[in-house]
């Protein structure tokens, strides 16, 4: 009886090796970048001996950062080094149902990191829904995606399956850089006219707008990013005024945070904004290249993001986003004794680290109440 091809030893060795490659690729966990090139331990802010509140978990810049693909058979047989997609010049990001969505102005498009599938899809849109310069992405609870595109000067809307739905905004109405959702309201930042446009989420109609160019109360100069607090107040980063302004849901001035400077509590180029459920304010500064955390009353708590041992620092951070719903996707990167309360995404436009994922939490066995100043040591001059 003739031996078929599989019986030949050299063929059998190749097939078995290919199968081993597939099994290894499927079983291997995502790369743990917290270990660093020297295999160092977890990176915390503030540094010891202060009580840690922020841990750096992982950096996501390309498809390779998600770990080996689900199947390595094609690469093994073809012998090709498939690098996969790499972020070019990202700005904003959001997490939703186990996927990381990154607005990449350099692609241009929306890079979708499938954390479980360990792959990246670049969604650029088509026709009226083609992206030209996506700056920020905001995702509603039903998965609807709102993309602020400063190239088409519109807000582009897609459903949870990436199907284009509609554009929001008339010709010449605004140059959008960020969007925030509050009920049926869409707050759209207009960097060109130094205003905030409030649209009806259901039909895109303009409900009202507030702000004008200037540096007084209720005035803006080069507003870039926006966030909604747990009490419904609106926070706007004014890059040109070196501050963050807090307003009511209807646009009435509440207070300012920060002023021009390069010492803790001041700003040089504030952009990314986020508010946690306790009302703490996160502000990313693209010039100082850190993120500062403030209490609602304006008291500075700490900063993080600068270089730390083998961990590279932020490089022109632009977007800051908090997430309470996708902790399980990143829990394996955390110190076993560190309890995560929520995730902090920080997007850098340049440098090797594009999306840094941090965690805010508490270390077991540490009495934080006995030394409330511990978390402010990182902010000391």
């Amino acid at each position: 009886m003739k031996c078929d091809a599989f019986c030949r030893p050299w063929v059998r060795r190749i097939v078995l090796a290919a199968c081993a490659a597939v099994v290894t690729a499927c079983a291997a966990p995502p790369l743990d970048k917290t270990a660093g090139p020297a295999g160092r331990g977890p990176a915390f802010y503030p540094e010891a001996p202060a009580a840690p509140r922020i841990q750096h978990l992982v950096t996501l810049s390309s498809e390779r950062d998600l770990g080996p693909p689900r199947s390595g058979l094609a690469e093994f047989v073809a012998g090709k080094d498939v690098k996969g997609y790499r972020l070019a010049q990202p700005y904003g990001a959001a997490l939703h149902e186990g996927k990381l969505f990154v607005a990449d102005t350099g692609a241009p498009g929306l890079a979708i990191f499938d954390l479980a599938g360990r792959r990246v899809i670049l969604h650029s849109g088509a026709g009226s829904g083609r992206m030209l310069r996506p700056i920020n992405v905001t995702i509603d609870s039903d998965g609807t995606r709102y993309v602020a595109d400063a190239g088409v000067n519109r807000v582009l809307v897609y459903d949870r399956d990436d199907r284009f739905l509609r554009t929001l905004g008339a010709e010449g109405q605004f140059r959008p850089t960020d969007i925030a959702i509050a009920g049926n309201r869409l707050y759209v930042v207009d960097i060109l006219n130094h205003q905030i446009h409030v649209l009806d989420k259901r039909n895109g109609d303009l409900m009202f707008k507030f702000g004008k160019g200037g540096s007084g109360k209720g005035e803006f100069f080069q507003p870039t990013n926006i966030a909604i607090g747990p009490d419904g107040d609106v926070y706007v980063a004014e890059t040109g005024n070196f501050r963050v302004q807090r307003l009511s849901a209807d646009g009435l001035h509440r207070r300012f945070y920060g002023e021009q400077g390069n010492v803790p509590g001041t700003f040089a180029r504030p952009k990314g904004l986020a508010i946690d459920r306790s009302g703490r304010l996160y502000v990313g500064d693209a010039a100082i290249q850190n993120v500062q955390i403030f209490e609602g009353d304006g008291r500075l708590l700490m900063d993080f993001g600068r270089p730390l041992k083998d961990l590279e620092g932020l490089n022109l951070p632009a977007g800051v986003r908090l997430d309470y719903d996708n902790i399980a996707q990143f829990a394996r990167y955390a110190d076993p004794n560190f309890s995560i309360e929520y995730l902090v995404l920080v997007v850098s436009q340049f440098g090797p680290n594009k999306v840094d994922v941090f965690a805010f939490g508490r270390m077991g066995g540490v009495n934080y109440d006995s030394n409330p100043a511990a978390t402010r040591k990182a902010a000391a001059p």
Side-chain angles (χ1 to χ4, degrees), residues 198-213:
V198 184
L199 310 182
D200 189 319
K201 185 178 70 174
R202 296 163 294 189
N203 52 31
D205 290 346
L206 177 66
M207 301 174 69
F208 61 95
K209 55 186 176 180
F210 56 88
K212 63 178 182 178

Side-chain angles (χ1 to χ4, degrees), residues 25-39:
C26 292
L31 300 178
D32 186 349
K33 293 211 167 180
T34 63

Side-chain angles (χ1 to χ4, degrees), residues 75-76 86 102 113 200 254 264 323 330:
E75 291 83 352
F76 177 83
R86 181 173 182 83
V102 185
F113 286 68
D200 189 319
R254 300 277 201 212
D323 182 88
F330 298 92

